[in-house]
Amino acid sequence: PAFVIHHLLAVFNGYLAILFPTTVMVKTCCALVYFICFEAVTFAGLFMYRVFPSNKFTPKVIMSGMVIFGITRPIQVLWVGAVAFGSWGDPNHVKWQAIM
């Protein structure tokens, strides 16, 4: 459930950037989309687990994806927080958008 909520919030943030194209919305969407690339290795490993469960590279891909994801997730959280904080005084956005 947390996984689904996380991705729904990311998609909702994308819609907000389309509806309210302000600095903070566009910057947070760019950061989220950029870090989706680091999650791709994990999803490739899970796909390999379903298609090639006995392949010797499947556990290695899953483990490397988990390591990459674990390293980049705190950076993503800090990056999105820094974007919201850094854009707080920007006259091109409304305060409630940064809080979302």
Side-chain angles (χ1 to χ4, degrees):
F3 176 78
V4 173
I5 291 171
H6 161 73
H7 283 89
L8 286 176
L9 287 174
V11 169
F12 184 64
N13 192 9
Y15 288 135
L16 283 177
I18 293 170
L19 295 174
F20 306 104
T22 59
T23 305
V24 71
M25 286 297 162
V26 173
K27 285 181 181 179
T28 55
C29 285
C30 288
L32 290 173
V33 169
Y34 175 73
F35 279 101
I36 285 173
C37 297
F38 294 108
E39 295 178 8
V41 179
T42 304
F43 292 121
L46 293 174
F47 177 77
M48 288 177 66
Y49 178 72
R50 289 293 179 195
V51 177
F52 313 112
S54 60
N55 190 333
K56 65 178 182 177
F57 293 111
T58 300
K60 294 176 184 177
V61 172
I62 292 174
M63 184 57 75
S64 64
M66 290 172 60
V67 169
I68 292 170
F69 181 77
I71 292 171
T72 60
R73 179 56 61 173
I75 297 170
Q76 179 184 1
V77 170
L78 290 174
W79 193 330
V80 171
V83 165
F85 180 76
S87 300
W88 190 258
D90 191 355
N92 295 325
H93 79 278
V94 184
K95 299 294 187 230
W96 66 265
Q97 293 175 351
I99 293 171
M100 290 180 87

